[in-house]
């Protein structure tokens, strides 16, 4: 199943930082201090995980409810468990996406600073010679 939420957020992060996600992840992994990029990428990974879990649980529920499959004694608990996990995955994905989207909307890519010609610095004025008085 193709999920647009994680894809859109990844595209927004890439556009904001001007680099592919793989490069951004390598850069974030190489830094020792947490920063905005590492926080955005961690949230994005949480969204991707929730979407993978959602896919897995939907596939599991489809197998459990296959018309050719005989429903057994313990299947009601499995149906309930799948439905609960699907609800949790959707809640995690939507909550993470809402927060990451709000942060991304507040960030803007800035233009590269214009290079200005260096102003010539006048040479230092020599100090006046010290005079000795007795």
């Amino acid at each position: 199943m193709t999920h647009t939420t994680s894809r859109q957020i990844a595209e927004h992060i890439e556009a904001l930082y001007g680099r592919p996600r793989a490069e951004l992840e390598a850069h974030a992994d190489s830094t020792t201090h947490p920063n905005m990029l590492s926080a955005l990428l961690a949230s994005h990974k949480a969204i991707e995980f929730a979407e993978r879990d959602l896919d897995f649980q939907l596939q599991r529920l489809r197998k459990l409810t296959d018309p050719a499959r005989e429903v057994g004694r313990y299947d009601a608990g499995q149906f309930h468990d799948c439905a609960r996990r699907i609800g949790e995955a959707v809640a995690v994905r939507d909550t993470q996406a809402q927060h990451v989207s709000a942060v991304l909307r507040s960030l803007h890519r800035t233009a590269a600073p214009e290079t200005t010609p260096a102003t010539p610095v006048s040479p230092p004025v020599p100090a006046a010679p010290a005079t000795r008085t007795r």
Side-chain angles (χ1 to χ4, degrees), residues 19-46:
R19 300 207 172 199
R21 193 174 81 201
E23 284 182 33
L24 294 173
E25 287 174 351
H27 175 73
D29 290 342
S30 69
T31 60
T32 57
H33 301 292
N35 56 32
M36 182 60 71
L37 176 60
S38 60
L40 289 170
L41 292 173
S43 293
H44 180 260
K45 284 182 182 180

Side-chain angles (χ1 to χ4, degrees), residues 2 10 18 20 23-24 27 48 52 56 59 70 76-77 81 92:
T2 303
E23 284 182 33
L24 294 173
H27 175 73
E48 283 184 321
R52 283 192 307 273
F56 175 79
Q59 182 181 14
E70 185 176 320
D81 184 55
V92 167

Side-chain angles (χ1 to χ4, degrees), residues 7-129:
R7 186 173 38 84
Q8 288 173 341
I9 288 174
E11 289 170 357
H12 197 146
I13 293 170
E14 288 173 341
L16 181 66
Y17 285 90
R19 300 207 172 199
R21 193 174 81 201
E23 284 182 33
L24 294 173
E25 287 174 351
H27 175 73
D29 290 342
S30 69
T31 60
T32 57
H33 301 292
N35 56 32
M36 182 60 71
L37 176 60
S38 60
L40 289 170
L41 292 173
S43 293
H44 180 260
K45 284 182 182 180
I47 293 168
E48 283 184 321
F49 180 79
E51 288 177 341
R52 283 192 307 273
D53 189 37
L54 181 58
D55 286 342
F56 175 79
Q57 295 301 329
L58 284 171
Q59 182 181 14
R60 183 174 165 226
L61 188 58
R62 286 184 185 115
K63 285 181 182 178
L64 287 171
T65 58
D66 186 294
R69 184 178 177 278
E70 185 176 320
V71 176
R73 177 180 198 176
Y74 300 103
D75 288 330
Q78 290 184 20
F79 296 153
H80 176 73
D81 184 55
C82 268
R84 180 184 57 78
R85 289 176 189 242
I86 288 169
E88 288 173 355
V90 169
V92 167
R93 180 200 60 197
D94 291 352
T95 302
Q96 287 285 339
Q98 182 181 13
H99 290 101
V100 171
S101 295
V103 170
L104 286 171
R105 280 191 305 273
S106 72
L107 300 173
H108 303 283
R109 187 177 172 120
T110 59
E114 293 182 24
T115 56
T116 57
T119 56
V121 177
S122 57
V125 178

